[in-house]
PDB file of all heavy atoms in Angstrom:
ATOM      1  N   GLY A 223     -19.645 -59.295 -30.013  1.00 90.00           N
ATOM      2  CA  GLY A 223     -18.716 -59.870 -29.055  1.00 90.00           C
ATOM      3  C   GLY A 223     -18.275 -61.267 -29.451  1.00 90.00           C
ATOM      4  O   GLY A 223     -18.996 -62.003 -30.126  1.00 90.00           O
ATOM      5  N   GLN A 224     -17.082 -61.607 -29.032  1.00 77.00           N
ATOM      6  CA  GLN A 224     -16.541 -62.934 -29.285  1.00 77.00           C
ATOM      7  C   GLN A 224     -16.230 -63.604 -27.951  1.00 77.00           C
ATOM      8  O   GLN A 224     -15.883 -62.948 -26.979  1.00 77.00           O
ATOM      9  CB  GLN A 224     -15.269 -62.839 -30.131  1.00 77.00           C
ATOM     10  CG  GLN A 224     -15.492 -62.179 -31.480  1.00 77.00           C
ATOM     11  CD  GLN A 224     -14.197 -61.983 -32.241  1.00 77.00           C
ATOM     12  OE1 GLN A 224     -13.127 -62.327 -31.756  1.00 77.00           O
ATOM     13  NE2 GLN A 224     -14.291 -61.437 -33.443  1.00 77.00           N
ATOM     14  N   ALA A 225     -16.373 -64.937 -27.928  1.00 71.00           N
ATOM     15  CA  ALA A 225     -16.067 -65.709 -26.717  1.00 71.00           C
ATOM     16  C   ALA A 225     -16.837 -65.170 -25.512  1.00 71.00           C
ATOM     17  O   ALA A 225     -16.286 -64.918 -24.441  1.00 71.00           O
ATOM     18  CB  ALA A 225     -14.568 -65.703 -26.444  1.00 71.00           C
ATOM     19  N   ASP A 226     -18.130 -64.981 -25.708  1.00 78.00           N
ATOM     20  CA  ASP A 226     -19.024 -64.539 -24.632  1.00 78.00           C
ATOM     21  C   ASP A 226     -18.720 -63.138 -24.110  1.00 78.00           C
ATOM     22  O   ASP A 226     -19.029 -62.809 -22.967  1.00 78.00           O
ATOM     23  CB  ASP A 226     -19.005 -65.531 -23.463  1.00 78.00           C
ATOM     24  CG  ASP A 226     -19.509 -66.912 -23.865  1.00 78.00           C
ATOM     25  OD1 ASP A 226     -20.442 -66.966 -24.688  1.00 78.00           O
ATOM     26  OD2 ASP A 226     -18.957 -67.911 -23.378  1.00 78.00           O
ATOM     27  N   VAL A 227     -18.103 -62.309 -24.941  1.00 88.00           N
ATOM     28  CA  VAL A 227     -17.868 -60.914 -24.569  1.00 88.00           C
ATOM     29  C   VAL A 227     -19.192 -60.157 -24.616  1.00 88.00           C
ATOM     30  O   VAL A 227     -19.920 -60.230 -25.605  1.00 88.00           O
ATOM     31  CB  VAL A 227     -16.844 -60.260 -25.508  1.00 88.00           C
ATOM     32  CG1 VAL A 227     -16.775 -58.751 -25.264  1.00 88.00           C
ATOM     33  CG2 VAL A 227     -15.474 -60.888 -25.314  1.00 88.00           C
ATOM     34  N   ARG A 228     -19.494 -59.428 -23.563  1.00 93.00           N
ATOM     35  CA  ARG A 228     -20.698 -58.610 -23.510  1.00 93.00           C
ATOM     36  C   ARG A 228     -20.302 -57.146 -23.360  1.00 93.00           C
ATOM     37  O   ARG A 228     -19.303 -56.825 -22.738  1.00 93.00           O
ATOM     38  CB  ARG A 228     -21.587 -59.034 -22.338  1.00 93.00           C
ATOM     39  CG  ARG A 228     -22.167 -60.442 -22.488  1.00 93.00           C
ATOM     40  CD  ARG A 228     -22.915 -60.853 -21.230  1.00 93.00           C
ATOM     41  NE  ARG A 228     -22.027 -60.933 -20.080  1.00 93.00           N
ATOM     42  CZ  ARG A 228     -22.357 -60.523 -18.854  1.00 93.00           C
ATOM     43  NH1 ARG A 228     -23.544 -59.984 -18.632  1.00 93.00           N
ATOM     44  NH2 ARG A 228     -21.502 -60.630 -17.856  1.00 93.00           N
ATOM     45  N   PHE A 229     -21.105 -56.257 -23.940  1.00 97.00           N
ATOM     46  CA  PHE A 229     -20.792 -54.831 -23.931  1.00 97.00           C
ATOM     47  C   PHE A 229     -21.688 -54.076 -22.963  1.00 97.00           C
ATOM     48  O   PHE A 229     -22.866 -54.380 -22.815  1.00 97.00           O
ATOM     49  CB  PHE A 229     -20.976 -54.237 -25.327  1.00 97.00           C
ATOM     50  CG  PHE A 229     -20.113 -54.885 -26.381  1.00 97.00           C
ATOM     51  CD1 PHE A 229     -20.685 -55.689 -27.362  1.00 97.00           C
ATOM     52  CD2 PHE A 229     -18.745 -54.701 -26.378  1.00 97.00           C
ATOM     53  CE1 PHE A 229     -19.909 -56.286 -28.334  1.00 97.00           C
ATOM     54  CE2 PHE A 229     -17.959 -55.299 -27.349  1.00 97.00           C
ATOM     55  CZ  PHE A 229     -18.532 -56.092 -28.326  1.00 97.00           C
ATOM     56  N   ASP A 230     -21.110 -53.065 -22.334  1.00 97.00           N
ATOM     57  CA  ASP A 230     -21.881 -52.147 -21.498  1.00 97.00           C
ATOM     58  C   ASP A 230     -21.913 -50.798 -22.209  1.00 97.00           C
ATOM     59  O   ASP A 230     -22.429 -50.706 -23.308  1.00 97.00           O
ATOM     60  CB  ASP A 230     -21.281 -52.072 -20.091  1.00 97.00           C
ATOM     61  CG  ASP A 230     -22.306 -51.645 -19.039  1.00 97.00           C
ATOM     62  OD1 ASP A 230     -22.878 -50.541 -19.191  1.00 97.00           O
ATOM     63  OD2 ASP A 230     -22.531 -52.391 -18.079  1.00 97.00           O
ATOM     64  N   ASN A 231     -21.304 -49.753 -21.652  1.00 97.00           N
ATOM     65  CA  ASN A 231     -21.434 -48.459 -22.339  1.00 97.00           C
ATOM     66  C   ASN A 231     -20.360 -48.270 -23.398  1.00 97.00           C
ATOM     67  O   ASN A 231     -19.406 -49.053 -23.512  1.00 97.00           O
ATOM     68  CB  ASN A 231     -21.459 -47.305 -21.326  1.00 97.00           C
ATOM     69  CG  ASN A 231     -20.097 -46.690 -21.094  1.00 97.00           C
ATOM     70  OD1 ASN A 231     -19.083 -47.394 -20.981  1.00 97.00           O
ATOM     71  ND2 ASN A 231     -20.052 -45.380 -20.998  1.00 97.00           N
ATOM     72  N   ILE A 232     -20.514 -47.229 -24.213  1.00 98.00           N
ATOM     73  CA  ILE A 232     -19.656 -46.985 -25.372  1.00 98.00           C
ATOM     74  C   ILE A 232     -19.417 -45.484 -25.509  1.00 98.00           C
ATOM     75  O   ILE A 232     -20.301 -44.681 -25.242  1.00 98.00           O
ATOM     76  CB  ILE A 232     -20.297 -47.539 -26.672  1.00 98.00           C
ATOM     77  CG1 ILE A 232     -21.805 -47.212 -26.720  1.00 98.00           C
ATOM     78  CG2 ILE A 232     -20.088 -49.045 -26.775  1.00 98.00           C
ATOM     79  CD1 ILE A 232     -22.534 -47.766 -27.930  1.00 98.00           C
ATOM     80  N   ARG A 233     -18.180 -45.132 -25.954  1.00 98.00           N
ATOM     81  CA  ARG A 233     -17.826 -43.724 -26.144  1.00 98.00           C
ATOM     82  C   ARG A 233     -16.896 -43.581 -27.349  1.00 98.00           C
ATOM     83  O   ARG A 233     -16.079 -44.452 -27.614  1.00 98.00           O
ATOM     84  CB  ARG A 233     -17.132 -43.160 -24.892  1.00 98.00           C
ATOM     85  CG  ARG A 233     -18.043 -43.028 -23.673  1.00 98.00           C
ATOM     86  CD  ARG A 233     -19.084 -41.955 -23.874  1.00 98.00           C
ATOM     87  NE  ARG A 233     -19.950 -41.781 -22.704  1.00 98.00           N
ATOM     88  CZ  ARG A 233     -21.136 -42.350 -22.572  1.00 98.00           C
ATOM     89  NH1 ARG A 233     -21.603 -43.164 -23.534  1.00 98.00           N
ATOM     90  NH2 ARG A 233     -21.872 -42.124 -21.506  1.00 98.00           N
ATOM     91  N   PHE A 234     -16.985 -42.446 -28.055  1.00 98.00           N
ATOM     92  CA  PHE A 234     -16.137 -42.156 -29.205  1.00 98.00           C
ATOM     93  C   PHE A 234     -14.936 -41.310 -28.805  1.00 98.00           C
ATOM     94  O   PHE A 234     -15.024 -40.477 -27.881  1.00 98.00           O
ATOM     95  CB  PHE A 234     -16.917 -41.374 -30.271  1.00 98.00           C
ATOM     96  CG  PHE A 234     -17.766 -42.221 -31.165  1.00 98.00           C
ATOM     97  CD1 PHE A 234     -19.145 -42.282 -30.986  1.00 98.00           C
ATOM     98  CD2 PHE A 234     -17.196 -42.949 -32.200  1.00 98.00           C
ATOM     99  CE1 PHE A 234     -19.934 -43.049 -31.823  1.00 98.00           C
ATOM    100  CE2 PHE A 234     -17.975 -43.724 -33.049  1.00 98.00           C
ATOM    101  CZ  PHE A 234     -19.348 -43.774 -32.854  1.00 98.00           C
ATOM    102  N   ASP A 235     -13.815 -41.496 -29.538  1.00 98.00           N
ATOM    103  CA  ASP A 235     -12.738 -40.521 -29.454  1.00 98.00           C
ATOM    104  C   ASP A 235     -12.856 -39.568 -30.648  1.00 98.00           C
ATOM    105  O   ASP A 235     -13.772 -39.695 -31.475  1.00 98.00           O
ATOM    106  CB  ASP A 235     -11.360 -41.192 -29.359  1.00 98.00           C
ATOM    107  CG  ASP A 235     -10.943 -41.961 -30.615  1.00 98.00           C
ATOM    108  OD1 ASP A 235     -11.437 -41.654 -31.715  1.00 98.00           O
ATOM    109  OD2 ASP A 235     -10.106 -42.884 -30.498  1.00 98.00           O
TER     110      ASP A 235
END
Side-chain angles (χ1 to χ4, degrees):
Q224 300 175 359
D226 298 324
V227 171
R228 294 174 297 140
F229 301 110
D230 204 302
N231 94 318
I232 43 182
R233 291 291 182 264
F234 278 103
D235 66 24

